[in-house]
Amino acid sequence: MKKFSTLVSILFLFLFAYYIIFNPEVLDIFEILTIQSLIVLIVIKTITLFLNSLFNKTLFKAFDINLLNFESLYISSITFLGNLYLPARIGQGFKLMYLNKKYNLKSSLLISSLVYFFVISFFINSFIGFFSLAINLEHIGAPFLIWLFIYGFLFLFSFYLLFKKFELKEIEVLKLKLFNKINSYFQEAKNGWITITKFKNMNRNLISIYLINYLFFVVDVYLITTFVNIYLNLSNIVFFNSINIFSGLIGLTPASIGLKESLMLLSINILNLTFEELFQIILLERLISIVFSLIPLLVVLIHNKKYKN
């Protein structure tokens, strides 16, 4: 998987460079973008980082872990950096390792918390993505129907998990220690899930935090496109953002490079963008993410220095 991720990343970086070399006019967006605009976009991303930290702080209260504000910000920072620069959403792994080391939280409970985050993400993202398509019927075709099916299925599935709960029955396949351990692990994960869902107002609080964060991501996309004089209607901005988040959740490659571009290209007619406009938006998004990464990096350095002392 690591070799595959590296190969895909290198391939798409090569394609990026190739396109820029033979189409240097796409770099004109950097002449339009001002320092003030860049600062505004960095501030928006900083707000989303704080909201992610609030999400973590709220979620882990279910396991009687009261994260300090700066500590939850640190967790969000290592998660962001890991997901941006490393494949397979390794940032989530960094978070789980930290919580396991400091709070001795069982891996099964950590997995429960991770799955819960994914379910919340899919629930909100798929609902809004589906709605953005439903009110934008101008470009019905195969990509449109594929996304409609994906978002519809993910919404119903995540809705069921969030509000109907689920019962994971123990299956005794063979009387072997290995299967006993597997059954025990899944039972602990199930108990962790139940602990989260039964915690007072947990669903409501986490959905609210994630929804606010989602809105800031939408504002981020809107500002990026507006600053470079590319204008999209609201439904297309929301749909663009939903693809962004969807590709990020899969995260097979660093910052979902290649996957994100492929999904966007597949949906270019729905978004009502030219290839050049799409390329410019994605290029600008990635540049801003790299510049912004200096902030979570600073948080990590401060935390590590403080921890050592």
Side-chain angles (χ1 to χ4, degrees):
M1 179 62 72
K2 185 177 179 181
K3 290 182 178 179
F4 173 76
S5 173
T6 302
L7 182 62
V8 171
S9 300
I10 293 173
L11 174 62
F12 272 87
L13 285 173
F14 173 78
L15 292 174
F16 257 72
Y18 179 85
Y19 184 80
I20 291 173
I21 290 171
F22 289 95
N23 300 273
E25 64 275 7
V26 298
L27 299 178
D28 291 345
I29 54 170
F30 298 115
E31 297 177 3
I32 302 173
L33 188 68
T34 64
I35 295 297
Q36 291 86 346
S37 301
L38 182 60
I39 291 173
V40 170
L41 293 171
I42 296 298
V43 169
I44 294 293
K45 286 195 172 295
T46 303
I47 292 172
T48 64
L49 186 70
F50 275 100
L51 286 170
N52 280 331
S53 70
L54 180 60
F55 188 98
N56 288 325
K57 186 179 177 68
T58 303
L59 174 59
F60 287 104
K61 283 181 180 179
F63 300 125
D64 294 322
I65 295 176
N66 294 308
L67 296 171
L68 299 175
N69 290 331
F70 188 73
E71 184 180 25
S72 61
L73 183 61
Y74 167 76
I75 291 173
S76 295
S77 297
I78 58 175
T79 303
F80 176 85
L81 292 172
N83 291 343
L84 181 65
Y85 292 111
L86 297 171
R89 292 190 64 82
I90 286 182
Q92 292 290 347
F94 290 160
K95 176 172 71 175
L96 301 186
M97 287 171 58
Y98 174 84
L99 290 168
N100 178 260
K101 182 178 180 181
K102 182 166 183 179
Y103 294 100
N104 198 29
L105 197 62
K106 291 182 178 180
S107 61
S108 55
L109 299 182
L110 291 169
I111 294 300
S112 295
S113 68
L114 180 59
V115 172
Y116 197 82
F117 164 76
F118 271 83
V119 171
I120 290 279
S121 301
F122 282 129
F123 173 70
I124 294 177
N125 192 56
S126 58
F127 173 75
I128 298 178
F130 186 92
F131 184 73
S132 70
L133 287 171
I135 62 175
N136 187 12
L137 302 176
E138 297 176 4
H139 302 285
I140 297 179
F144 181 96
L145 296 175
I146 290 171
W147 278 116
L148 206 63
F149 172 78
I150 290 173
Y151 283 146
F153 172 78
L154 287 175
F155 172 71
L156 292 175
F157 184 65
S158 57
F159 180 89
Y160 175 79
L161 290 179
L162 281 176
F163 299 107
K164 294 296 183 181
K165 314 296 189 291
F166 69 94
E167 294 185 5
L168 183 64
K169 296 180 180 179
E170 292 187 57
I171 302 174
E172 293 189 10
V173 183
L174 290 172
K175 295 294 184 178
L176 294 176
K177 287 185 178 181
L178 174 61
F179 287 101
N180 288 335
K181 287 181 179 180
I182 293 174
N183 283 331
S184 176
Y185 187 89
F186 275 99
Q187 186 62 35
E188 288 179 356
K190 172 192 170 183
N191 292 336
W193 180 278
I194 293 173
T195 299
I196 295 172
T197 55
K198 286 188 174 180
F199 196 86
K200 186 178 180 181
N201 297 326
M202 182 62 75
N203 272 352
R204 185 190 68 184
N205 292 339
L206 291 183
I207 289 174
S208 298
I209 294 169
Y210 193 96
L211 184 58
I212 294 170
N213 209 7
Y214 186 96
L215 292 175
F216 273 105
F217 281 124
V218 170
V219 171
D220 182 58
V221 175
Y222 169 75
L223 291 176
I224 286 175
T225 55
T226 301
F227 288 154
V228 295
N229 299 324
I230 299 174
Y231 299 101
L232 296 174
N233 62 38
L234 182 58
S235 63
N236 284 338
I237 290 173
V238 170
F239 181 60
F240 185 99
N241 188 57
S242 293
I243 298 176
N244 252 349
I245 296 175
F246 184 79
S247 62
L249 290 172
I250 299 174
L252 295 176
T253 56
S256 297
I257 188 168
L259 175 62
K260 174 179 175 178
E261 286 75 14
S262 298
L263 294 177
M264 289 292 183
L265 194 57
L266 175 69
S267 312
I268 194 168
N269 289 331
I270 303 174
L271 293 167
N272 199 27
L273 289 169
T274 65
F275 182 84
E276 182 177 322
E277 288 173 335
L278 179 60
F279 187 90
Q280 288 178 321
I281 294 171
I282 292 176
L283 182 64
L284 189 55
E285 267 194 324
R286 295 203 176 280
L287 175 68
I288 292 168
S289 293
I290 292 171
V291 174
F292 166 72
S293 68
L294 294 174
I295 293 178
L297 178 60
L298 181 62
V299 172
V300 171
L301 293 175
I302 293 173
H303 178 273
N304 290 345
K305 183 177 180 180
K306 183 177 180 181
Y307 181 77
K308 287 181 180 179
N309 294 336

